[in-house]
Amino acid sequence: MDVIESAYATDLKGNYYMPNRMHVNSGPNTLLYMPCFTDNYFGTKILSLFPENIRKNEPVISGIVILNNAETGIPVAILDGAVVTGLRTGAVGGVAIRHTAPDDIESLGLIGSGTQGFYQVYFACTARPSIKEIYIYDLSVSNMENLREKLQNTFPELAIKLSESCTDLLKKTNLIITATPSTEPVLPDKPELLQNKHYIGIGSYKPDMREYPKAIYGLAKNVFIDTEHGFEESGDLITPLQNKWVDQDCFVKMGELIKNKDKYETKTGTTFFKSVGMALFDITVSTYIYEQALLNGLGTKIK
């Protein structure tokens, strides 16, 4: 999470170069090609997202990150793209919780029990050790049960429960993370159920995907985002702007919030953070992993 915060600081300074990522859709499947250049390293993440793989007992997300020395251009590391994505996206959610959720929050709700769900809960509990209960909801009961078992093994001291519906989950939790590929809102469009809670939106990485209903945009004073690329990629940002549910100036980059936290109302009322991710996260996290591997004598050397 500290590494992600350093990436936000780099983003504000602008001392990096990040070309627009190539986003290729083929039916339900997506190929992402994400390059980024920083002072000491540059690299590219090549990632595929095949949602139907879950029915084939294959990973939904797969790919690699190639990290290069910025001075020589020589590749210095090849990393598992799925692991880097899981770690950095989980950490992005954790950083948002650090800065938008109350310090003493005790209940966490997760909608979506895919691979990213585990990383989101892991970093949420790291950011807020006060969490005591976790509620999970997914359309697939078997996915929920598998994730509960994995989380219970990781956090044996926590109460991890399955919810019967999103409404049931909302009634029992104050911090809600959504990590689904849904094309329509997974939360009910009812202000009385949504108000005074804290939301972390991780799914919705295509224009036709949405996780959040109209009501959320009337409750949250600001919508915090990780990158402005989301205005072209996520239905949770495109739809409210097109329908004039919000004004453009209600959106605030997370780096700006971290730098000027006294300017914004957070940790009270209703807060909402929406992530789509960016290559700067991947290269910053990959650089950290690579340098830690060198220090600890880890990894496999390829000649």
Side-chain angles (χ1 to χ4, degrees):
M1 288 187 286
D2 294 341
V3 174
I4 290 295
E5 291 205 17
S6 76
Y8 279 128
T10 298
D11 182 42
L12 284 185
K13 293 174 185 175
N15 55 339
Y16 70 103
Y17 174 56
M18 187 175 68
N20 290 337
R21 63 184 176 189
M22 183 184 293
H23 197 136
V24 181
N25 296 320
S26 177
N29 304 319
T30 304
L31 174 67
L32 296 173
Y33 185 85
M34 303 170 62
C36 186
F37 298 77
T38 62
D39 289 343
N40 297 317
Y41 297 94
F42 69 89
T44 304
K45 183 173 79 170
I46 304 169
L47 203 70
S48 65
L49 295 89
F50 279 55
E52 296 300 318
N53 276 3
I54 198 165
R55 299 178 182 176
K56 304 172 184 177
N57 201 28
E58 295 286 354
V60 171
I61 298 176
S62 60
I64 60 172
V65 177
I66 302 173
L67 191 66
N68 303 69
N69 182 288
E71 184 177 346
T72 65
I74 296 172
V76 295
I78 301 173
L79 300 92
D80 186 318
V83 174
V84 171
T85 300
L87 288 170
R88 67 84 151 153
T89 309
V92 166
V95 169
I97 290 168
R98 272 183 177 176
H99 296 282
T100 66
D103 296 339
D104 59 352
I105 205 154
E106 295 185 352
S107 60
L108 168 66
L110 172 69
I111 300 175
S113 57
T115 301
Q116 188 52 227
F118 172 81
Y119 288 104
Q120 289 300 320
V121 171
Y122 183 91
F123 281 95
C125 292
T126 303
R128 290 290 178 266
S130 56
I131 291 173
K132 297 178 181 178
E133 292 183 319
I134 298 169
Y135 290 85
I136 303 170
Y137 176 72
D138 193 287
L139 294 175
S140 169
V141 175
S142 62
N143 286 352
M144 285 195 292
E145 291 174 342
N146 290 338
L147 180 58
R148 176 170 61 178
E149 182 179 358
K150 186 175 181 180
L151 287 171
Q152 200 70 77
N153 289 335
T154 306
F155 299 104
E157 72 282 6
L158 298 183
I160 302 175
K161 304 173 183 179
L162 305 185
S163 292
E164 296 180 355
S165 66
C166 289
T167 298
D168 176 60
L169 181 144
L170 279 169
K171 290 178 179 179
K172 296 175 179 176
T173 58
N174 294 317
L175 170 61
I176 294 93
I177 300 172
T178 57
T180 77
S182 181
T183 56
E184 57 185 39
V186 297
L187 296 172
D189 195 19
K190 297 180 179 179
E192 66 276 13
L193 284 176
L194 300 173
Q195 65 186 354
N196 298 323
K197 297 180 186 292
H198 310 276
Y199 299 92
I200 307 295
I202 299 300
S204 180
Y205 53 86
K206 294 182 181 180
D208 64 343
M209 288 182 172
R210 282 182 60 203
E211 295 187 300
Y212 288 85
K214 178 181 178 180
I216 199 78
Y217 301 93
L219 293 170
K221 185 173 183 179
N222 293 108
V223 179
F224 299 104
I225 59 174
D226 53 2
T227 171
E228 292 172 344
H229 292 299
F231 295 129
E232 301 173 4
E233 297 182 3
S234 171
D236 278 325
L237 300 181
I238 295 170
T239 300
L241 281 171
Q242 287 181 341
N243 290 290
K244 302 187 184 304
W245 298 342
V246 290
D247 296 324
Q248 184 73 44
D249 59 7
C250 91
F251 296 97
V252 177
K253 294 176 75 172
M254 181 55 65
E256 170 68 19
L257 170 61
I258 294 171
K259 184 179 179 181
N260 300 295
K261 58 182 67 178
D262 293 338
K263 271 181 68 176
Y264 304 97
E265 292 181 17
T266 61
K267 303 189 179 183
T268 59
T270 305
T271 63
F272 179 28
F273 168 75
K274 172 59 195 151
S275 172
V276 294
M278 57 179 166
L280 179 60
F281 292 149
D282 297 295
I283 298 308
T284 305
V285 169
S286 293
T287 296
Y288 174 76
I289 293 171
Y290 167 63
E291 293 181 343
Q292 289 297 308
L294 289 181
L295 286 174
N296 292 281
L298 300 173
T300 300
K301 194 165 186 179
I302 303 173
K303 294 184 179 180

